[in-house]
Amino acid sequence: MIDLQGKRALVTGAASGIGRATAALFAELGAQVLLADVDSERGEQAAKDVGGVFVRCDVSRRADCEEAVHTAVSQFGGVDVLFNNAGIIRRSTVCEITDDDWDLVMAVNVRAIMVLSGLVVPLMAANGGGVIVNTGSGWGVKGGARAISYCASKGAVVNMTRAMAIDHGPDNIRVVCVCPGDTNTGMLAEEARQLGESADAFYADAADRPLGRIGTPQDIARTVAFLASDAAAFVSGAVVTVDGAGTA
Ligand code: NAI
């Protein structure tokens, strides 16, 4: 039922975790995939593994975003699906965070979505439509402990999604947000590191979750693939939580 044949997809944060799993599934479902990431080594490998094309792109830099979109146009002829997924976290309260960390989290998690979507929307509109999927977070809806910039940024992603869906619906562009709960990727290990905890302790309570586990990148990828496909033709402005009934 889910088919991405003929679709041209640009995935950010595609070198690892949710982005990599989604790029792989997009390719499996027939899409041409451009994998964009700041990490060239892992990004090149991921592109090789999934049969896509890699472009180095620091999404916090407008010039890199322009280059990524240019690459999609020159390699594939356009973009039908944009997965704005690259993200970072800083585990700090409002009393602990530095201005620089705040600005970096906002640049990667929020401004990049504005920049990339702003570049891609006119292409999609000229081509009769498209789909933008943004990665939010459960913490973008309900907040979370010691992650003030992250929670603020993901709250912005959630509401940008709704606003973009309203603005660009008339051009047949759907905009949706997927909000993962705790998902087994490098980000969780990085959070454990920032909090001075062992990653094992971080995962220890997974069995107490409602479904007895935390998410896998593939759990999120399958939802993104559905949202990106024509099977979700009337889903726009939606904020879709994928968290196994609450894992925050
Ligand atoms: P990850 O750390 O495995 O992947 C993030 C990717 O983004 C990495 O490949 C990294 O190199 C890339 N990246 C970081 N900064 C970048 C930049 N400036 N430009 C381009 N690429 C950059 O983590 P994960 O979990 O796959 O994260 C993907 C998205 O999922 C993020 O937006 C994250 O906030 C979100 N998320 C993750 C959750 C989790 O529990 N893992 C929960 C909720 C949301």
Side-chain angles (χ1 to χ4, degrees), residues 47-219:
K48 210 167 144 190
D49 292 346
V50 314
V53 175
F54 175 72
V55 62
R56 189 194 175 275
C57 172
D58 176 347
V59 296
S60 69
R61 296 168 56 92
R62 177 174 281 275
D64 286 15
C65 294
E66 288 171 349
E67 178 60 26
V69 173
H70 175 76
T71 304
V73 171
S74 62
Q75 297 268 332
F76 306 152
V79 178
D80 304 296
V81 177
L82 170 62
F83 183 30
N84 283 313
N85 167 75
I88 56 170
I89 194 165
R90 292 292 179 271
R91 294 299 305 261
S92 40
T93 67
V94 77
C95 303
E96 296 159 346
I97 191 157
T98 63
D99 291 0
D100 283 351
D101 270 355
W102 176 274
D103 289 347
L104 183 63
V105 169
M106 288 298 166
V108 174
N109 293 7
V110 182
R111 196 180 66 208
I113 295 182
M114 176 275 288
V115 170
L116 275 166
S117 303
L119 292 167
V120 163
V121 159
L123 300 175
M124 288 178 169
N127 194 45
V131 186
I132 298 174
V133 183
N134 298 323
T135 304
S137 166
W139 282 12
V141 179
K142 58 192 172 192
R146 280 190 73 185
I148 189 67
S149 56
Y150 185 80
C151 293
S153 73
K154 293 300 188 178
V157 173
V158 165
N159 218 28
M160 277 172 84
T161 299
R162 298 187 183 113
M164 286 163 58
I166 292 166
D167 284 341
H168 305 297
D171 284 320
N172 194 33
I173 296 169
R174 296 188 294 109
V175 189
V176 291
C177 183
V178 63
C179 284
D182 282 348
T183 305
N184 191 2
T185 70
M187 180 170 277
L188 276 195
E190 170 61 16
E191 287 183 64
R193 192 192 63 75
Q194 290 181 22
L195 292 170
E197 297 173 7
S198 86
D200 289 350
F202 222 69
Y203 294 122
D205 67 343
D208 296 334
R209 309 293 173 103
L211 290 181
R213 64 178 179 89
I214 61 172
T216 65
Q218 289 73 23
D219 286 324

